[in-house]
Amino acid sequence: MTKPSLPELLHAAVAAVGGTERPGQVAMAEAAAEAIDDGSHLLVQAGTGTGKSLGYLVPALAHGERVVVATATLALQRQLVERDLPRTVEALHPLLRRRPEFAMLKGRSNYLCLHRLNEGVPQDEEDGLFDQFEAAAPTSKLGQDLLRLRDWADETETGDRDNLTPGVSDRAWAQVSVSSRECLGAPKCAYGAECFAETAREQAKLADVVVTNHALLAIDAIEGAPVLPQHEVLIVDEAHELVSRVTGVATGELTPGQVNRAVRRAAKLVNEKAADQLQTAAEGFERLMELALPGRLEEIPEDLGYALMALRDAARTVISAIGATRDKSVQDEDAVRKQALASVETVHDVAERIVNGSEWDVVWYERHEPRGGAAAYRPGGASLRVAPMNVSGLLREKLFTDRSVVLTSATLKLGGDFNGVGASLGLAPEGTRGDDLPQWKGVDVGSPFDYPRQGILYVAKHLARPARDGDRADMLDELTELIQAAGGRTLGLFSSMRAAQLAAEELRSRIPEYPILLQGEETLGELIKNFAADPQTCLFGTLSLWQGVDVPGPSCQLVVMDKIPFPRPDDPLMSARQKAVEEAGGNGFMAVAATHAALLMAQGAGRLVRASGDRGVVAVLDQRLATARYGSYLRASMPDFWLTTDRNQVRKSLAAIDAAAKREQQEEAEQE
């Protein structure tokens, strides 16, 4: 039988999911197939609506080797496993003459632990375990969540937290899950044969396509012990998020609360001398953390260095002591011991990493404001954090070796090329040759949307240049007028939570006829649902809204950015990265701050046009986008909307779009 061609396979898959084949999707599939076949690497920018999941799934399935697909969001993982893969596999089966298997794999803490559920949770203050279901009052939110989890455990086939609807609090889930360090291991666990996490791993070993998340991909790369099955092709969707997710996994943290918890967990398992040594070291660390240390610690203060060494050494002693003693009086001793070891080992590893002081690490001190306000700090609200200066070397070594990698997103081409994102991934400029350099190419397959006709990019050039945390009365006046012209329908993207809160408070009093939702006042899912349901409603917020809102139609016809989202000058990690680029002779501002802002602005502007019928305005209330030298770089990273600085024209356009939306709404109501 003749081997089916890629166009035949793609056509069958698109028909199966009820989609429409688009030129960009075809171009993406061809580029992905070429990269997979010759073992090279591909960065492919595919705009919203391209159908990029089929653009990489079809050539990957056709190739026949095992594929890992890593995404950043739960929504895309679900789309792949519940919609795209089942339909695509079914459609391609007659053509490929085989039925590829697929599975989802996540980190162990995402799965219900039957040992914890049935035996209880190791308790910090006493020997043994406590029954979380007995301890939590059934009338409390925690008690209700735990009872739901116990019932769910009898009916779930996966034990995957994300399949529990509605969800439960993090506190409740912590009672019935374990980290990889806390896990007893299937051979030692009475429930090993039924373990949900082990079942997921076994299914992944047999699957042709394994869907996972960026965090597990990072753990697989960083920790050396493989958690993903061997694979020949890696596809990274939502690839603009990869660097930040890998950085998060590679970041260590120490807090007084975390250290004291380790002390309590270990105290009853070791001799008194070892326990006292760790307790004394914890007290010394906590005293120092109460002081007002500077943000970034380019050199560790002497007192803090001694405290960390004492903590490291005491933790090492306790780890040895836990391994050398047994206590039959402790109920379910193995579980208690495992949890204690996990806590103490984390303290040891982070303290040692900071004390060793790698030039490639950044260390900083943070104080976390209490939820009740900025006036006081909650107990244990200080933390010491350590993160890699950058992860490009790690990614180059671990990601692009012995497999073909396809990375895709709607926003990979910043400032007109792929080199900025490529550099963050450890790739040399496109076309650079060298025996030890991964070979790659970038492809922009465009978008099915007609951006110049569907959207306007408005830069409020007349506004005063924004100052850091300064009063921006002129910006609030402009925002008020824009919302009134649009008839609500506004997604407000702010550079800080404080700015979003101030704007919401002010505009609620100025234009009460337009409800304003504020991030943090409800869950993100509820906010987006309510925003989409009422066209007069506005939604204000910060980082997660820049990337996490998908509301096609008349409810989102104005996207406002209060200012260019450069990282704060006192951001320890960003400022360290910028300084390192400058010391190497590069342009730190453009390589770090401008690239960070460009990515966010590209993502933020992408919230406007989500369907072929969408119309609207992206308004940037920061004159620098039009006047600064770097403005053209930022604009080139955004969708190709029609550009203007004419405020009157923008108001007329918004009013016309609002009127048209209201007419359509009226016509639909009359037809019903």
Side-chain angles (χ1 to χ4, degrees), residues 392-435:
S392 58
L394 173 71
L395 290 173
R396 180 176 61 248
E397 178 186 351
K398 302 292 187 179
L399 208 66
F400 297 99
T401 305
D402 301 327
R403 58 186 168 187
S404 174
V405 184
V406 176
L407 302 107
T408 184
S409 166
T411 49
L412 289 180
K413 194 175 179 182
L414 303 180
D417 62 47
F418 293 90
N419 288 331
V421 169
S424 71
L425 297 168
L427 299 172
E430 187 175 4
T432 304
R433 296 292 168 186
D435 292 340

Side-chain angles (χ1 to χ4, degrees), residues 108 183-195 198 202 334 338:
R108 190 170 293 275
C183 177
L184 291 171
K188 293 184 178 180
C189 180
Y191 304 89
E194 309 161 69
C195 176
E198 290 297 323
E202 290 305 311
D334 284 340
K338 260 292 191 178

Side-chain angles (χ1 to χ4, degrees), residues 369 466-473 475-476 479 483 492-508 516-519 521 539-543 545-546 560-566 568 621:
E369 294 181 3
R468 182 183 171 189
D469 296 333
D471 180 25
R472 297 192 66 197
M475 184 275 288
L476 292 173
L479 180 56
I483 290 174
L493 305 177
F494 291 83
S495 52
S496 70
M497 201 61 231
R498 178 176 176 272
Q501 291 166 343
L502 290 174
E505 182 181 339
E506 177 67 23
L507 269 67
R508 280 169 174 169
I516 294 177
L517 307 175
L518 179 63
Q519 187 179 356
E521 293 182 345
L539 172 58
F540 288 5
T542 184
L543 189 60
L545 296 190
W546 287 76
V560 177
M561 304 179 194
D562 69 327
K563 63 181 181 180
I564 296 171
F566 292 122
R568 293 177 64 90
L621 308 186

Side-chain angles (χ1 to χ4, degrees), residues 458-467 472-479 481-482 560-563 619-625 627 645 647 651:
Y458 165 55
V459 184
K461 192 176 177 180
H462 62 284
L463 296 181
R465 187 183 178 99
R472 297 192 66 197
D474 59 343
M475 184 275 288
L476 292 173
D477 292 341
E478 182 78 9
L479 180 56
E481 292 177 19
L482 288 169
V560 177
M561 304 179 194
D562 69 327
K563 63 181 181 180
V620 181
L621 308 186
D622 187 336
Q623 59 154 272
R624 294 175 294 177
L625 189 63
T627 60
T645 59
R647 58 193 303 206
R651 281 159 183 70

